[in-house]
Amino acid sequence: MDFNIIKPLLVEDAKGKIVLLVMDGLGGLPMEPGGKTELETAHTPNMDALAEKSMLGLHEGIRPGITPGSGPAHLSLFGYDPLKYVVGRGALSALGIDFDLQENDIAARGNFCTVDEEGRVTDRRAGRIPTEVSEGLCRLLRENVRIPGYEVFLEPVKEYRFLLVIRGEGLKANIQETDPQGVGKKPLKACALDSDSEKAAEIVQEFVRQAEKVLANESPANMFLLRGFAQLPDWPKFPDGLGLKAIAIAMYPMYRGVAKLVGMDSPPAAQSYEEEIDMLEENWDAYDFFFVHIKKTDSYGEDGDFEKKVHEIEKVDALIPRIMALDPSVLIITGDHSTPCLLKTHSWHPVPVLLYSKVCRPDGIASFGEGACRQGGLGVRFPAFALMSLALANAGRLEKFGA
Amino acid sequence: MDFNIIKPLLVEDAKGKIVLLVMDGLGGLPMEPGGKTELETAHTPNMDALAEKSMLGLHEGIRPGITPGSGPAHLSLFGYDPLKYVVGRGALSALGIDFDLQENDIAARGNFCTVDEEGRVTDRRAGRIPTEVSEGLCRLLRENVRIPGYEVFLEPVKEYRFLLVIRGEGLKANIQETDPQGVGKKPLKACALDSDSEKAAEIVQEFVRQAEKVLANESPANMFLLRGFAQLPDWPKFPDGLGLKAIAIAMYPMYRGVAKLVGMDSPPAAQSYEEEIDMLEENWDAYDFFFVHIKKTDSYGEDGDFEKKVHEIEKVDALIPRIMALDPSVLIITGDHSTPCLLKTHSWHPVPVLLYSKVCRPDGIASFGEGACRQGGLGVRFPAFALMSLALANAGRLEKFGA
């Protein structure tokens, strides 16, 4: 979607409300030739009935054959072409653990590692130390590193991975990664890659000097590597660019984080699907756009647990009447990417999508599944980042282009 | 379509003739859930029979969810991506009333308005004065404003709207609009926005000075606002870029205007569908490309009159045998955009398209309607501005690309 095209077309004081219901990793594959996918296997009477009044299709999050990560996959659903809007990995790490990254902060991903007496890396992951060890090391660094005028945050992520954030004035993040990308080599120096980033690079180097002394006697994690220095991106914000006051309802920090990144409000995490729909109802009058995220379809996909993924889809199906009772102008039901149980991982396969509105041109296909979606009016490779302009149109929120 | 790709591929002395039959606002919606669209309801034996030998699909004029205006919608059918080829509003106004805008002319849209004693706008549309009053005011200005060395044209458009054209040497149209975009404010000065436009801006300012004196004692329209200063765009011309001597056959000025804009010939307006087909026959030997425009399908769509739109489609169906008797190499039957009776306005819904040629790969679907087109070989979101390269290919007018 091109915000420059959309923004001048926005209808003032439009009222139509849009719900984007994302079942993470929804798209699937049959477990054996001729079989059905997870969504096709699931008994989904509510979604099937809705499909008959909707447009169906398969969307592609990035480009053909490109498997989306969770961040780009959601950005794409929110209307941001993920090849154009790239989030730095450090910033993405911060989002993933619900760290409240602020403008001007610089963030980096850290890996605890092992170095020998000469400072050469012998294990880039320090034997995959457990998260609790990482927590202790982060605390140790937090207590012993001091950089006057700057705040330094260290947060464990998972196993040997941690997040480094430096807060202060005048920082820019175009800084050389210190990971030498192999064993037997010394960590690289965190040099500035442009003149605006020199201040920040100096501070990172000072942090590294102090921190390596603090860790010198630890084992096996006696050093660390820093990667993906990044700041919050300076993008058009979703509420401003699309004229939609937006709220993200999700159970996991990563998804609330990506939503916050584009300017959506995000109340504290819900604890169950029912609570997510409670939050949808409670906030119905206060917002125009509702992103509702369902995580477990992806988790069971990654586990390769076909039956549990099917059951999870069925649980979501049971929520549809409560959503429809709110009478949304537009309801989109889809996934962010495919996570077929057969593959136990994210995949590139296009994702089933259903777009309901009173003024769509219905396909009349009373079934929501990969095969049905292949027959639908949205086509088989609908760009995910164009869904929002279509949603705006269906919600009566766009003027015509040209006279 | 990219003229840089097409032009080197054009076959010299190719003979295949192409007819583009546009039913304005053809695409539709069912009036109730489960119902049929206008085109699906219409009894169209000739188009259905032709469909069986053709490729079907749904085309998208601009981008997903973007509702096309008539100008961009037709440009797209002619092969011009409307996001790349943007016509200034003043030039579009001139086209819409059949004013013969020439190279170097600058054109602007005018609104008659009301100002108070201090010159502040009190009504931006002068109480929506009727067209006849506007005609009188244009005449008054025409007779009383003199700018030596330049010709000034004033033409009523509709109600309070008029067209201003200034003709002379060395004019460029990058000029500040005078509309202050609200009441209680004075009109803005028509300043040049680049140095090339300074001459034209001076002339516009001189026009405004003289004209406001002429109108001073009129009521309620004692002033005017000027918007959308523009010139004819400097684009690749259709006949040159596509190697097609082209003629536009239409009953309304807007469509003849857009066709002229891209370099098609346009004889005087036809008075009936039969006369349009007469003109097609009479000009068959002299041209390669024939744009035939049918207006009323759109008008009845805007009226929300389902039965009349259906009937109009049936009248067009009856013309098909006369067109096919000419043995065109390619016949495209489509609309420029959708105008569903349900919505009474242009809409974003993809538009049915049928492309007949002896060498197309037929879909074998003996029906022309939105549902049938969803199954067709052109797909559900064929870019309208790619239809012309496909037509050229089917008319035997394109060499292969690369050795």
Side-chain angles (χ1 to χ4, degrees):
Chain A
M1 191 178 47
D2 188 331
F3 292 94
N4 294 328
I5 296 166
I6 296 295
K7 209 175 165 189
L9 302 180
L10 291 174
V11 173
E12 267 182 65
D13 300 322
K15 301 286 180 222
K17 291 181 192 286
I18 299 168
V19 178
L20 172 66
L21 175 62
V22 176
M23 284 180 266
D24 207 294
L26 177 64
L29 288 173
M31 293 300 276
E32 62 282 321
K36 289 180 173 182
T37 68
E38 296 89 323
L39 179 58
E40 289 169 346
T41 303
H43 179 60
T44 54
N46 294 306
M47 292 195 272
D48 293 347
L50 192 60
E52 192 168 14
K53 299 185 279 181
S54 301
M55 296 192 78
L56 302 179
L58 294 162
H59 79 66
E60 201 161 68
I62 303 183
R63 294 294 185 273
I66 307 300
T67 295
S70 294
H74 278 87
L75 286 175
S76 195
L77 288 175
F78 298 157
Y80 297 74
D81 179 349
L83 294 189
K84 188 172 164 194
Y85 295 96
V86 178
V87 195
R89 299 188 142 247
L92 210 54
S93 263
L95 299 178
I97 61 165
D98 223 0
F99 183 91
D100 188 17
L101 197 65
Q102 298 182 10
E103 214 180 329
N104 303 321
D105 287 359
I106 63 168
R109 290 183 171 194
N111 283 9
F112 287 112
C113 67
T114 312
V115 295
D116 63 18
E117 318 79 68
E118 290 177 338
R120 291 180 210 281
V121 176
T122 56
D123 183 338
R124 290 174 63 234
R125 297 181 184 85
R128 291 189 182 270
I129 49 168
T131 310
E132 305 79 63
V133 175
S134 200
E135 274 173 13
L137 296 171
C138 284
R139 194 164 49 239
L140 195 66
L141 290 171
R142 230 182 271 134
E143 287 167 0
N144 290 287
V145 175
R146 285 290 168 273
I147 300 176
Y150 294 87
E151 274 186 281
V152 177
F153 300 87
L154 283 142
E155 302 292 338
V157 175
K158 196 179 174 190
E159 298 178 340
Y160 58 93
R161 292 195 295 267
F162 68 92
L163 170 73
L164 167 69
V165 173
I166 298 176
R167 180 168 296 165
E169 292 300 310
L171 302 181
K172 293 288 168 197
N174 195 6
I175 297 172
Q176 171 63 45
E177 303 191 334
T178 72
D179 187 345
Q181 298 285 351
V183 296
K185 298 171 185 172
K186 291 185 181 182
L188 304 176
K189 191 172 171 186
C191 295
L193 298 175
D194 63 28
S195 54
D196 285 350
S197 305
E198 282 174 7
K199 182 79 209 162
E202 275 173 35
I203 290 160
V204 172
Q205 289 165 27
E206 175 60 25
F207 169 79
V208 173
R209 266 190 297 274
Q210 294 187 31
E212 67 184 337
K213 285 180 198 157
V214 173
L215 296 179
N217 297 320
E218 298 296 322
S219 175
N222 60 353
M223 191 47 191
F224 55 87
L225 304 171
L226 298 174
R227 305 171 66 180
F229 289 94
Q231 292 187 295
L232 281 182
D234 179 25
W235 295 342
K237 290 286 188 263
F238 185 96
D240 179 57
L242 304 183
L244 294 169
K245 188 154 187 267
I247 184 172
I249 299 171
M251 293 168 66
Y252 287 77
M254 174 68 194
Y255 310 96
R256 300 169 58 237
V258 179
K260 276 196 282 187
L261 185 72
V262 299
M264 294 188 202
D265 289 347
S266 183
Q271 301 303 316
S272 68
Y273 296 165
E274 287 65 32
E275 204 180 311
E276 287 191 280
I277 306 300
D278 291 345
M279 287 168 70
L280 178 69
E281 290 169 348
E282 286 156 17
N283 288 284
W284 190 250
D285 292 335
Y287 290 89
D288 306 308
F289 178 85
F290 306 81
F291 160 50
V292 181
H293 183 262
I294 301 290
K295 173 64 184 169
K296 285 195 173 165
T297 36
D298 178 59
S299 313
Y300 291 130
E302 300 227 342
D303 294 347
D305 194 329
F306 195 93
E307 270 186 46
K308 282 197 175 158
K309 187 173 167 190
V310 166
H311 183 59
E312 217 59 31
I313 294 169
E314 292 174 347
K315 279 165 67 178
V316 175
D317 186 71
L319 305 171
I320 302 299
R322 281 184 68 192
I323 299 175
M324 289 302 291
L326 293 165
D327 195 23
S329 292
V330 175
L331 170 58
I332 296 173
I333 306 177
T334 189
D336 54 341
H337 53 74
S338 293
T339 306
C341 292
L342 182 70
L343 302 182
K344 299 187 181 182
T345 181
H346 291 203
S347 79
W348 63 91
H349 302 86
V351 185
V353 53
L354 172 163
L355 187 150
Y356 161 80
S357 98
K358 289 191 186 73
V359 293
C360 74
R361 183 187 285 152
D363 298 327
I365 302 169
S367 170
F368 184 44
E370 284 81 351
C373 286
R374 206 171 53 232
Q375 309 297 324
L378 294 176
V380 292
R381 288 182 42 240
F382 192 90
F385 48 86
L387 276 169
M388 279 309 305
S389 52
L390 195 59
L392 288 170
N394 274 281
R397 289 178 166 270
L398 289 183
E399 308 274 7
K400 74 179 167 192
F401 177 89
Chain B
M1 190 177 49
D2 188 329
F3 292 95
N4 294 327
I5 297 169
I6 295 296
K7 209 178 163 186
L9 303 181
L10 291 175
V11 173
E12 266 183 67
D13 300 321
K15 301 290 179 217
K17 291 180 191 289
I18 300 169
V19 179
L20 172 65
L21 175 62
V22 176
M23 284 180 267
D24 208 295
L26 177 64
L29 288 174
M31 294 298 278
E32 64 280 319
K36 289 180 173 180
T37 67
E38 296 88 324
L39 179 59
E40 288 169 346
T41 303
H43 179 60
T44 54
N46 294 306
M47 292 194 272
D48 293 348
L50 192 61
E52 195 169 11
K53 299 185 280 180
S54 302
M55 297 193 75
L56 302 180
L58 293 162
H59 79 66
E60 201 162 68
I62 303 183
R63 294 292 186 277
I66 307 297
T67 296
S70 294
H74 277 86
L75 285 175
S76 195
L77 289 175
F78 299 156
Y80 298 74
D81 180 349
L83 294 188
K84 189 172 163 195
Y85 296 95
V86 178
V87 196
R89 297 188 146 248
L92 211 53
S93 264
L95 300 178
I97 59 164
D98 222 1
F99 183 90
D100 188 18
L101 197 65
Q102 298 181 11
E103 216 181 328
N104 302 320
D105 287 359
I106 63 169
R109 292 183 171 194
N111 282 8
F112 286 111
C113 69
T114 312
V115 295
D116 64 17
E117 317 79 67
E118 291 177 337
R120 290 178 210 283
V121 176
T122 57
D123 184 338
R124 290 174 64 232
R125 297 182 183 87
R128 291 190 182 269
I129 49 168
T131 309
E132 305 81 63
V133 174
S134 200
E135 274 172 14
L137 296 170
C138 284
R139 194 163 50 238
L140 195 66
L141 290 171
R142 231 182 270 133
E143 288 165 359
N144 290 287
V145 174
R146 285 289 167 272
I147 300 176
Y150 294 87
E151 274 186 281
V152 177
F153 300 86
L154 282 142
E155 302 292 340
V157 174
K158 197 180 175 191
E159 296 177 343
Y160 58 93
R161 292 194 294 264
F162 67 93
L163 170 73
L164 168 69
V165 173
I166 298 175
R167 181 168 296 165
E169 291 300 309
L171 302 181
K172 293 286 167 197
N174 195 6
I175 297 172
Q176 170 64 43
E177 304 191 331
T178 73
D179 187 345
Q181 298 283 351
V183 295
K185 299 171 186 171
K186 291 184 182 184
L188 305 175
K189 191 172 169 185
C191 295
L193 299 175
D194 62 28
S195 54
D196 285 350
S197 304
E198 282 175 8
K199 182 76 209 163
E202 274 172 35
I203 290 161
V204 172
Q205 288 167 27
E206 175 59 24
F207 169 78
V208 172
R209 265 190 296 274
Q210 293 187 32
E212 70 183 335
K213 284 181 199 155
V214 173
L215 297 179
N217 296 319
E218 299 295 322
S219 174
N222 60 353
M223 191 49 191
F224 55 88
L225 305 170
L226 298 174
R227 305 171 66 178
F229 289 94
Q231 293 186 296
L232 280 182
D234 179 26
W235 295 343
K237 290 288 188 264
F238 185 95
D240 179 57
L242 304 183
L244 295 169
K245 189 153 187 270
I247 184 171
I249 299 171
M251 294 170 64
Y252 286 78
M254 175 69 196
Y255 310 97
R256 300 169 59 236
V258 179
K260 278 197 281 186
L261 186 71
V262 298
M264 295 188 202
D265 289 345
S266 183
Q271 300 304 316
S272 69
Y273 297 164
E274 287 67 30
E275 204 181 310
E276 288 191 279
I277 305 301
D278 292 345
M279 287 168 70
L280 179 68
E281 291 169 346
E282 287 155 18
N283 288 284
W284 191 250
D285 292 334
Y287 288 90
D288 306 307
F289 178 85
F290 306 82
F291 160 50
V292 182
H293 183 262
I294 301 289
K295 174 65 184 169
K296 285 196 175 165
T297 35
D298 178 60
S299 313
Y300 290 131
E302 299 227 342
D303 293 347
D305 193 329
F306 195 93
E307 271 187 45
K308 283 198 175 156
K309 187 174 168 189
V310 166
H311 182 58
E312 217 58 29
I313 294 169
E314 292 175 346
K315 279 165 68 179
V316 175
D317 186 70
L319 305 171
I320 302 299
R322 281 183 68 191
I323 300 176
M324 288 304 289
L326 293 165
D327 194 25
S329 293
V330 175
L331 170 58
I332 296 173
I333 306 177
T334 188
D336 53 340
H337 52 74
S338 292
T339 306
C341 293
L342 183 70
L343 303 181
K344 299 186 181 184
T345 182
H346 291 201
S347 80
W348 63 90
H349 302 85
V351 185
V353 53
L354 172 164
L355 187 149
Y356 161 80
S357 97
K358 290 192 187 71
V359 293
C360 74
R361 183 186 287 150
D363 298 328
I365 303 170
S367 168
F368 185 43
E370 284 81 352
C373 286
R374 203 171 60 230
Q375 309 297 324
L378 294 177
V380 292
R381 286 182 43 241
F382 192 90
F385 48 85
L387 276 169
M388 278 310 305
S389 51
L390 196 59
L392 287 170
N394 276 279
R397 288 178 166 272
L398 289 184
E399 306 276 8
K400 70 181 168 191
F401 178 89

